[in-house]
Amino acid sequence: MPRWRKILYALLVTAALVAGGLFGWSFLHRPDMCAEGVERVGRECIGVNGEGYAFENPAIKDVAKAIQKENDNVKNGAYVTVAVMMPFHSRNAALQRQIRSDLLGAYLGQHKANEGEGKPPKIRLVLANPGPDYQYQDKVVSTLVKMAKSSEDRLRAVTGINLSLAETEAAVGRLTRNHVPVLASRITGDGIANKDNYTKVVDPKFPGLARIIPTNSQVARALAWFNGERSRDDSRTVVVFDRRQDSYNRTLAEAFNSIKEKGSDGLAAIPFTSAGIDKEGNAGNTFSRMALSLCHTRADTVYFAGRTVHLRLFARELAGTYCQKPHYTIISGSDAASLRQYMQPEDWEKLRGGQDRPKVTVQYAAPGHPAAWETELTAWKKKWAAEHDGRAPDEKDLPQYLVEPKGALDELHGLIKELWPNGTSDRLGAPPDLEDSRTMLVYDGLVTIGAALHQRGDGKVPRLKDLGDIWSELHTVDRVRGASGLICLTPAGNPYDKPIAVVELDPGDKGQGTLKYVGLAWPNDGQPQSKDCVIQKTR
């Protein structure tokens, strides 16, 4: 064989080996995809998808498919993409139910914006999973920023955002720095909010961020007013807080510590360190010892700054401690809205007290409650009639801040009845339970995004940062009638004087307890929202 032919064969063999090696390397190192746009990272499926993928969460399969169908209906017209960003996967049954409540709110809001309003542009919804505790938010945010620049995706807003964490703050910061509008429907931490200043122009920390739920400091003020802060004796109250790094816990503890009460100084705040947002860890043993210590003090009211998982354990241990005190009241923030989903039969039994064990009442600030508007409006009419010789009020006399949210809630009930005509649906499974407020809040978030999209009225796809500029226009005549309350956004994108619903766990006499609506609490010293939601210069 000629030498040149030997050299040629050797080169061909070498090239084949190199090509095969490259192919093998790329095959072995290719991403492990869970679905289109979703990559497996460790045990999690991380990414963005609007094609019916449920992120291995069986509780949301039917809702994800319904969203896919709604998305298919808008593809041929003017549409924008809105991403619902939150952890979608969990092996915990209670957390799975929470996620389902949130996602049902998003679907109902999408349906309302697309079918009820009927105006273009329509909303295409995608699910953005950043993993547990937003651990992989950077990867997801990179995808969302690309989608915002894509002429096909036309991402125009990110909503959901359900946990006040450092990782969440980083995600919101990077999104808004890239001009992607964010509407946070479920976070109360003060750290993820722009500060209001009604007398001068200030650069916002998060340009393009809007929120539809009061911050922890506003929640604490509202609860303090509702419970008559100055009538409480400081020596009979104590703050218990989780010192794990968590914006919700930290800012709620700071807000509770700022409440002014009468009398001599009470107990110093008592810390504990949890294992994680949804991890019990050794908290039960910690709370057992803490409960024994509290039994030897005058404190009978506990302000609890911690997550739902730990609130349940604390209430259970406090109720299970033999003590001469007949009653404890625990007051907590909005994360407790899902507490009932975590309660076990033995927990309810312990809360009832008896046999030298104190009864425990758990009261918390819910972002909304389905009984609020009817209850408050009925009480308002009764008081008005008493002040006007028994005459019923005319329509023009009724308070907007009660009538309009009631109308919005009635619309939501009507939509639920339409989609679940017999109280169930083969396509969607069980209807949402509005008592935990999650469905209401995420629904209101999508309704607010729909209002901003249609604000200009030209039916065109808005530019990327347009919604971020429009947030501050949503007040007075352009206020949003939310099922959780009137949504009137300040120049900083915060809800103006929006109330909270004070709710208590009612263990009853036996069996499964219930949620009991107690009343509305207003953050502005008990003053309800002004007529037409006119934002005042001074506070």
Side-chain angles (χ1 to χ4, degrees):
M1 180 184 296
R3 187 180 177 196
W4 63 267
R5 187 172 291 178
K6 291 180 180 180
I7 295 172
L8 178 61
Y9 286 162
L11 289 172
L12 290 172
V13 169
T14 302
L17 289 172
V18 170
L22 288 172
F23 174 79
W25 186 91
S26 63
F27 179 82
L28 291 172
H29 290 79
R30 78 190 192 284
D32 183 4
M33 304 302 289
C34 304
E36 183 181 351
V38 182
E39 182 181 345
R40 187 174 296 281
V41 181
R43 298 176 67 188
E44 300 292 329
C45 289
I46 306 301
V48 182
N49 183 280
E51 306 304 318
Y53 181 64
F55 293 93
E56 300 184 349
N57 182 345
I60 64 170
K61 277 186 176 181
D62 47 8
V63 192
K65 289 294 184 184
I67 289 171
Q68 177 191 20
K69 184 176 179 181
E70 188 72 30
N71 288 344
D72 290 341
N73 291 338
V74 305
K75 281 182 178 178
N76 295 324
Y79 71 87
V80 301
T81 298
V82 174
V84 182
M85 184 178 181
M86 62 177 66
F88 281 106
H89 175 66
S90 175
R91 292 171 179 83
N92 180 295
L95 270 177
Q96 287 180 356
R97 289 192 294 270
Q98 282 183 213
I99 296 165
R100 177 180 170 81
S101 290
D102 287 331
L103 195 58
L104 277 171
Y107 169 66
L108 287 164
Q110 178 192 28
H111 190 84
K112 160 76 172 171
N114 289 349
E115 306 298 328
E117 298 293 335
K119 302 174 185 175
K122 301 294 182 74
I123 292 176
R124 168 184 175 248
L125 214 56
V126 295
L127 282 58
N129 181 33
D133 299 349
Y134 287 74
Q135 183 179 354
Y136 302 104
Q137 57 82 18
D138 192 58
K139 188 179 188 69
V140 171
V141 168
S142 293
T143 300
L144 295 175
V145 169
K146 289 178 183 176
M147 291 175 67
K149 297 174 182 177
S150 163
S151 59
E152 181 180 352
D153 288 311
R154 309 168 209 164
L155 179 76
R156 289 299 178 265
V158 176
T159 188
I161 317 291
N162 63 336
L163 294 172
S164 300
L165 302 169
E167 291 80 3
T168 319
E169 184 172 346
V172 172
R174 188 171 162 216
L175 285 167
T176 53
R177 284 195 303 274
N178 282 277
H179 311 294
V180 179
V182 175
L183 188 137
S185 54
R186 289 285 315 166
I187 51 172
T188 57
D190 290 67
I192 311 176
N194 296 319
K195 290 187 177 180
D196 282 307
N197 191 312
Y198 299 104
T199 59
K200 63 180 180 180
V201 177
V202 294
D203 290 330
K205 180 180 178 182
F206 304 102
L209 169 66
R211 306 163 47 102
I212 61 168
I213 185 172
T215 61
N216 280 334
S217 59
Q218 292 172 317
V219 165
R221 284 202 302 272
L223 284 171
W225 166 81
F226 187 84
N227 288 298
E229 60 178 346
R230 297 195 184 278
S231 66
R232 285 185 182 273
D233 190 329
D234 198 24
S235 67
R236 302 189 68 172
T237 65
V238 64
V239 174
V240 172
F241 71 98
D242 187 352
R243 59 186 162 198
R244 181 180 54 79
Q245 289 299 308
D246 182 324
S247 176
Y248 170 82
N249 296 334
R250 176 178 55 79
T251 57
L252 187 58
E254 290 171 352
F256 282 151
N257 275 314
S258 71
I259 294 175
K260 297 178 176 61
E261 294 168 329
K262 69 178 184 179
S264 57
D265 288 344
L267 297 175
I270 303 174
F272 70 95
T273 304
S274 71
I277 285 179
D278 57 353
K279 296 179 176 65
E280 293 187 5
N282 198 40
N285 291 332
T286 301
F287 293 147
S288 179
R289 295 192 299 273
M290 194 183 292
L292 283 171
S293 297
L294 286 173
C295 190
H296 294 279
T297 71
R298 295 188 66 215
D300 56 14
T301 298
V302 181
Y303 294 105
F304 187 87
R307 295 288 181 175
T308 303
V309 168
H310 312 113
L311 174 59
R312 169 185 161 264
L313 293 174
F314 179 74
R316 187 183 70 184
E317 294 303 323
L318 197 61
T321 301
Y322 287 91
C323 187
Q324 292 183 347
K325 292 179 187 175
H327 187 262
Y328 279 107
T329 298
I330 303 173
I331 299 174
S332 196
S334 63
D335 194 70
S338 301
L339 179 57
R340 191 180 64 160
Q341 296 185 14
Y342 285 84
M343 296 291 285
Q344 303 296 321
E346 59 270 23
D347 298 333
W348 293 110
E349 190 59 41
K350 282 193 174 184
L351 259 60
R352 293 183 185 105
Q355 296 182 345
D356 297 324
R357 291 185 292 109
K359 180 180 178 181
V360 172
T361 297
V362 181
Q363 184 186 94
Y364 64 87
H369 192 278
W373 311 119
E374 182 66 38
T375 303
E376 297 296 327
L377 192 56
T378 299
W380 187 95
K381 289 177 179 178
K382 184 177 180 180
K383 181 181 178 183
W384 196 94
E387 294 171 350
H388 294 81
D389 299 323
R391 182 171 63 85
D394 296 328
E395 288 292 323
K396 62 180 177 59
D397 298 318
L398 298 175
Q400 278 178 340
Y401 60 84
L402 298 178
V403 173
E404 291 186 356
K406 181 182 180 303
L409 182 60
D410 289 344
E411 283 188 19
L412 176 55
H413 278 303
L415 183 56
I416 292 171
K417 190 173 181 179
E418 173 191 331
L419 295 172
W420 287 267
N422 299 310
T424 186
S425 166
D426 293 337
R427 185 169 64 92
L428 286 165
D433 180 356
L434 300 185
E435 280 199 340
D436 69 358
S437 75
R438 290 180 171 275
T439 298
M440 291 170 64
L441 263 292
V442 182
Y443 168 81
D444 279 354
L446 264 293
V447 169
T448 303
I449 291 171
L453 279 172
H454 302 139
Q455 179 75 351
R456 296 286 184 256
D458 57 11
K460 296 178 181 178
V461 173
R463 295 172 303 172
L464 177 56
K465 67 187 293 289
D466 280 356
L467 262 64
D469 294 334
I470 290 172
W471 298 144
S472 60
E473 299 176 15
L474 300 180
H475 59 86
T476 58
V477 296
D478 293 315
R479 61 189 176 277
V480 178
R481 283 80 169 168
S484 63
L486 288 182
I487 298 167
C488 317
L489 298 182
T490 68
N494 297 317
Y496 184 72
D497 285 352
K498 192 166 184 251
I500 58 167
V502 180
V503 178
E504 287 182 359
L505 280 186
D506 182 6
D509 297 326
K510 62 181 180 179
Q512 181 91 348
T514 60
L515 290 179
K516 176 184 174 184
Y517 171 74
V518 181
L520 285 182
W522 301 88
N524 185 25
D525 295 326
Q527 297 299 312
Q529 288 161 311
S530 58
K531 184 175 172 56
D532 293 330
C533 242
V534 175
I535 297 175
Q536 305 295 322
K537 182 177 180 181
T538 56
R539 307 295 294 144

